[in-house]
Amino acid sequence: MTDRPGIVITGASGRMGQMLIRTVLESDAARLVGAVEREGNEWVGRDVGEMIGERELGVSITDDPLEAMAKAQAVIDFTSPAATVEFAGLAAQARAVHVIGTTGLTDGDIQKIGAAARHAVVVRAGNMSLGVNLLVQLTKKVAAALDEDFDVEVIEAHHRHKVDAPSGTALMLGEAAAEGRGIDHASNMDSGRDGITGARERGKIGYSAIRGGDIVGEHDVLFAGEGERVILRHIATDRRIFARGALKAALWGQGKHPGEYSMADVLGF
């Protein structure tokens, strides 16, 4: 039992939090040692198993993340930017691997997470799935092969409850296209079009976001030229792919040197 890394899940009551809890419980390579929720949440103080409809597990949900992380080897975190920045510092204090699937992080947030990564392993990715990370590599290669005669548009669709756009995965794909073309992503990003925008500027990387229903996640990278189009696509139908990828990252990070890593590192791309 004790040779299996202990995992703490943050945002335990959320859809992704519950999926992560179940994934850890089903794993024979890790064990659940803690679950965290914000102060005032009705899950605080309750047994994790009871709250997800399983048998009692003897693991209570806490609003004290440092207490939970002190006994963990890894923290898996799909919460909000402000919470993730706080958790990064606490995970670093505990020397626990911090796996971050939170999206919507600002440059300032990322700098603070980078500071924490000087003391512990941080694995951060806009998407934890094997298929998406393969798509990132393909996007980079196709962008390098096709010149600016092909416009690049990243089209993403998610459920109605998603609060940030473009999605973290869409940004990963756009950054991969920029890297493939050898251009700066931030200065060539084109999103949020509305009204009379004028003709599309050559070389820009465009973004389009769709929100509706219970869409788990769909991403297309469109290379549109004169008379032909190349479309790379990934469709997620089950959140378990993200949970499995996050757990894989938590296990991979054990024994690694402090630093910030990506899912490309975890998957060996």
Side-chain angles (χ1 to χ4, degrees):
M1 287 287 291
T2 55
D3 61 345
R4 296 185 297 163
I7 311 291
V8 166
I9 304 299
T10 62
S13 71
R15 287 178 299 173
M16 195 64 212
Q18 293 183 53
M19 183 65 71
L20 287 162
I21 289 168
R22 293 181 186 280
T23 299
V24 173
L25 292 176
E26 291 167 1
S27 171
D28 59 4
R31 55 200 173 92
L32 184 72
V33 297
V36 176
E37 255 304 342
R38 64 188 182 280
E39 185 178 357
N41 186 283
E42 64 181 359
W43 283 40
V44 173
R46 308 289 292 275
D47 186 270
V48 172
E50 174 194 355
M51 299 311 289
I52 65 169
E54 303 286 347
R55 61 180 174 82
E56 288 196 9
L57 300 168
V59 177
S60 294
I61 300 157
T62 181
D63 57 9
D64 184 345
L66 184 56
E67 177 190 32
M69 294 177 193
K71 55 190 175 186
Q73 285 72 56
V75 178
I76 304 180
D77 176 18
F78 285 67
T79 54
S80 67
T84 290
V85 169
E86 178 188 357
F87 294 148
L90 298 176
Q93 287 184 48
R95 299 299 188 264
V97 174
H98 188 190
V99 178
I100 300 173
T102 302
T103 59
L105 297 165
T106 66
D107 289 342
D109 295 333
I110 292 169
Q111 287 176 5
K112 292 173 184 175
I113 291 167
R118 292 199 290 267
H119 307 285
V121 173
V122 174
V123 181
R124 182 175 63 85
N127 194 298
M128 297 283 174
S129 89
L130 171 62
V132 162
N133 283 278
L134 177 59
L135 180 61
V136 168
Q137 301 304 313
L138 293 172
T139 297
K140 190 186 306 181
K141 289 182 179 296
V142 174
L146 300 177
D147 63 20
E148 291 186 352
D149 286 340
F150 285 80
D151 297 317
V152 182
E153 188 81 9
V154 182
I155 305 155
E156 54 104 340
H158 285 87
H159 53 87
R160 63 165 64 94
H161 302 291
K162 188 167 178 61
V163 297
D164 58 307
S167 69
T169 304
L171 292 171
M172 284 173 61
L173 294 166
E175 288 165 359
E179 185 177 347
R181 290 209 166 155
I183 61 175
D184 176 66
H185 173 257
S187 59
N188 286 282
M189 181 178 174
D190 183 10
S191 63
R193 305 185 193 97
D194 188 33
I196 307 301
T197 61
R200 182 183 179 118
E201 188 175 344
R202 182 179 170 87
K204 292 289 187 181
I205 297 172
Y207 289 88
S208 301
I210 298 165
R211 297 288 178 267
D214 62 353
I215 301 170
V216 173
E218 299 179 4
H219 294 85
D220 287 359
V221 185
L222 168 66
F223 295 86
E226 294 291 335
E228 59 181 334
R229 287 170 289 172
V230 176
I231 302 172
L232 306 177
R233 168 172 290 181
H234 180 270
I235 297 176
T237 58
D238 190 333
R239 284 184 178 81
R240 279 179 290 190
I241 64 172
F242 311 129
R244 288 195 294 264
L247 179 56
K248 184 180 181 72
L251 297 173
W252 175 88
Q254 302 301 311
K256 297 292 189 298
H257 292 295
E260 192 166 0
Y261 300 89
S262 69
M263 280 302 289
D265 296 312
V266 175
L267 298 170
F269 289 150

